[in-house]
Amino acid sequence: GAVVSQHPSRVICKSGTSVKIECRSLDFQATTMFWYRQFPKQSLMLMATSNEGSKATYEQGVEKDKFLINHASLTLSTLTVTSAHPEDSSFYICSARSLNYGYTFGSGTRLTVV
Amino acid sequence: QQQVKQSPQSLIVQKGGISIINCAYENTAFDYFPWYQQFPGKGPALLIAIRPDVSEKKEGRFTISFNKSAKQFSLHIMDSQPGDSATYFCAAQGGSEKLVFGKGTKLTVNP
């Protein structure tokens, strides 16, 4: 079956620093990748949609300069949280879409900014 | 309107019972309706999905019932087990690549 690997699973960083989260589709090529943010006991909130080689499309209210998305290949997308602040602490989840497997989600990254 | 309404918010059932979660949508462009299971600290995992050309789909203990005219779909978990305790999300997609999620249902199955 389709597997999406997301790293790291947990990260603690200091306020003002940047953090990069990686999302890889291991055994398939993804036509589109998605980044979500999830607050405790809430649903997934779509942050952005990205396609390989093109700029990400951000949802309304998401700061594109704070949440940098790079979709370098059909199997890799990265989310960089720049100049992180405590309010950026959250659970971040990526998803990869393919024609054969539909939407496959990564295991998530718990970001804590101290 | 891009919205999927899910109920109940939480559900407690006894082991062996039937768990039922309902979702309703407005956008008639939706043509793919998946259900996801999420355990704490993990990403969602696809449980079962349906397209509107069928009214029911069953996979093991999990069944989706789909009512196109009412724009509603539901997840039935038969013989619920404590290991089924998780948060369940319905979703819908169509007209764009985005999945639209319901707000989730926290299921607790008591032993």
Side-chain angles (χ1 to χ4, degrees):
Chain A
V3 177
V4 171
S5 175
Q6 186 173 340
H7 290 284
S9 58
R10 290 177 176 270
V11 59
I12 300 173
C13 71
K14 291 186 176 180
S15 188
T17 62
S18 296
V19 174
K20 181 183 284 188
I21 302 170
E22 240 184 42
C23 179
R24 291 182 183 271
S25 56
L26 295 186
D27 46 5
F28 66 99
Q29 292 184 331
T31 54
T32 309
M33 287 191 172
F34 306 86
W35 287 95
Y36 297 85
R37 183 173 181 177
Q38 188 177 33
F39 293 103
K41 298 183 180 181
Q42 292 192 24
S43 188
L44 286 75
M45 182 184 76
L46 181 64
M47 299 174 66
T49 302
S50 73
N51 296 95
E52 181 246 353
S54 60
K55 289 184 178 180
T57 302
Y58 290 82
E59 294 299 298
Q60 192 173 7
V62 177
E63 298 177 63
K64 61 181 180 181
D65 293 332
K66 165 166 276 297
F67 299 101
L68 300 179
I69 292 171
N70 182 272
H71 197 152
S73 73
L74 287 172
T75 60
L76 174 63
S77 177
T78 60
L79 168 68
T80 301
V81 183
T82 64
S83 186
H85 288 95
E87 57 265 31
D88 298 325
S89 298
S90 193
F91 192 56
Y92 294 88
I93 308 170
C94 70
S95 173
R97 187 189 188 198
S98 68
L99 291 177
N100 290 337
Y101 300 111
Y103 300 83
T104 305
F105 287 81
S107 54
T109 297
R110 172 73 59 195
L111 170 64
T112 303
V113 184
V114 298
Chain B
Q1 190 174 1
Q2 298 285 338
Q3 192 175 19
V4 176
K5 294 183 179 179
Q6 183 172 347
S7 62
Q9 189 174 359
S10 63
L11 180 62
I12 300 174
V13 300
Q14 293 299 119
K15 179 182 175 181
I18 303 173
S19 304
I20 302 174
I21 305 171
N22 301 297
C23 284
Y25 64 97
E26 292 293 328
N27 189 344
T28 55
F30 289 151
D31 61 1
Y32 175 66
F33 302 89
W35 284 90
Y36 291 90
Q37 179 188 57
Q38 186 180 31
F39 292 104
K42 300 294 183 183
L46 179 66
L47 204 55
I48 187 172
I50 198 168
R51 293 198 179 269
D53 52 342
V54 295
S55 59
E56 186 174 281
K57 183 174 181 181
K58 184 176 180 179
E59 289 184 1
R61 296 184 294 110
F62 303 94
T63 300
I64 297 181
S65 296
F66 185 81
N67 186 327
K68 188 174 181 179
S69 60
K71 290 186 282 188
Q72 295 175 347
F73 58 110
S74 60
L75 175 70
H76 291 61
I77 305 175
M78 312 299 287
D79 188 25
S80 299
Q81 299 296 312
D84 296 331
S85 298
T87 299
Y88 292 81
F89 293 96
C90 63
Q93 181 263 333
S96 81
E97 285 197 282
K98 301 176 189 178
L99 274 176
V100 180
F101 283 89
K103 292 193 173 183
T105 298
K106 184 177 180 181
L107 171 66
T108 302
V109 182
N110 289 328

